[in-house]
Amino acid sequence: MDMESDVMVLKFKRICVFCGSSQGKKISYHDAVIEPGKELVLRNIDLVYGGGSIGLMGLVSQSVHDGGRHVIGVIPNTLIPRELTGETVGEVKVVADMHQRKAEMPRHSDAFIALPGGYGTLDKLLEVISWAQLGIHDKPAELLNVDRYYNFLLSFIDKVMEEGFINPNARQIIVSAPKTTELVDKLEEYVPCHERVASKLNWETEQQLGYLKHKKLHGD
């Protein structure tokens, strides 16, 4: 392995991919999901994803698994009958609910990529962006803008900045590219530029207390 590959492995051991549990109407979405899987394998990066075996989730996980990289799927127990069908791929972590899923996926990840998806994809993406804005983490969050799928979202975020609801530094948290290789290169070049509102240690302590409270309430 050359020195450049060693650096990439050290910087990103695992990347979390958010994407739809449906395949969408365009074949380009199908093809676009296969490419990130191949790119992760090429760069010796493991995958964290939503744990489903259907739709775009199933395609990207299978692509990474077939390439010999480790796959971690995080799925709420109640979604197993709907999203996990047939043979499982890689390591499957079953959690209690959606809140725990959204906390567990970033815990195992060094960066985030959003592929085409629906409400669930946007929910997870915007949450990790908000966490970056608050200083909870320094991990990059990026959009693979397949066939301009995310153009309207990016325009909306620009509008939010123009209207003064986020500052220009916070706008730079989210990065996009139309091609996988360009997107992963941007991940490697990402430099956090947001302002912290609290230390990482404070956030981590609060998160741990939240988990303990959750376990106590649900008897886990």
Side-chain angles (χ1 to χ4, degrees):
M1 185 179 293
D2 59 26
M3 184 176 296
E4 183 179 359
S5 296
D6 285 340
V7 172
M8 287 189 290
V9 172
L10 289 173
K11 186 168 186 180
F12 296 124
K13 294 182 179 179
R14 300 189 189 114
I15 289 182
C16 181
V17 172
F18 303 132
C19 58
S21 58
S22 300
Q23 294 198 23
K25 293 183 176 181
K26 295 183 178 180
I27 190 64
S28 57
Y29 300 150
H30 175 284
D31 296 339
V33 168
I34 301 300
E35 287 306 312
K38 291 180 178 178
E39 192 67 22
L40 294 187
V41 171
L42 181 65
R43 299 187 186 226
N44 300 311
I45 298 172
D46 295 333
L47 170 71
V48 178
Y49 81 115
S53 59
I54 59 176
L56 299 186
M57 280 198 295
L59 292 173
V60 70
S61 61
Q62 193 67 56
S63 175
V64 175
H65 184 264
D66 289 348
R69 300 307 305 173
H70 188 58
V71 174
I72 299 176
V74 183
I75 187 168
N77 187 57
T78 53
L79 288 183
I80 290 178
R82 176 180 175 180
E83 294 188 355
L84 192 56
T85 61
E87 185 178 352
T88 59
V89 172
E91 178 183 355
V92 178
K93 291 182 176 291
V94 179
V95 295
D97 52 38
M98 291 295 289
H99 295 291
Q100 195 173 354
R101 183 195 217 180
K102 290 192 292 181
E104 193 71 12
M105 292 171 74
R107 182 189 296 273
H108 294 283
S109 307
D110 303 311
F112 310 95
I113 293 177
L115 307 180
Y119 287 141
T121 299
L122 294 174
D123 175 36
K124 298 177 186 69
L125 171 68
L126 293 175
E127 183 154 10
V128 297
I129 291 171
S130 296
W131 289 358
Q133 182 183 25
L134 293 172
I136 297 175
H137 66 74
D138 292 326
K139 303 170 184 179
E142 304 201 353
L143 298 173
L144 185 60
N145 196 16
V146 183
D147 280 353
R148 302 177 295 280
Y149 181 80
Y150 281 114
N151 275 12
F152 287 113
L153 176 62
L154 293 168
S155 295
F156 172 71
I157 293 172
D158 288 336
K159 177 66 173 178
V160 173
M161 182 186 69
E162 290 169 8
E163 296 296 333
F165 289 101
I166 61 173
N167 62 44
N169 281 345
R171 171 63 182 88
Q172 293 180 45
I173 292 171
I174 184 169
V175 180
S176 68
K179 300 294 183 182
T180 300
T181 52
E182 180 183 350
L183 190 70
V184 179
D185 286 342
K186 286 185 176 182
L187 282 176
E188 296 290 339
E189 298 164 0
Y190 177 80
V191 177
C193 58
H194 54 269
E195 299 177 4
R196 293 193 181 282
V197 300
S199 71
K200 277 187 178 181
L201 181 60
N202 287 345
W203 289 115
E204 289 169 358
T205 301
E206 183 176 315
Q207 188 178 52
Q208 290 170 0
L209 292 174
Y211 272 123
L212 292 174
K213 183 177 179 181
H214 175 88
K215 289 184 177 180
K216 184 177 181 180
L217 289 173
H218 294 272
D220 294 343

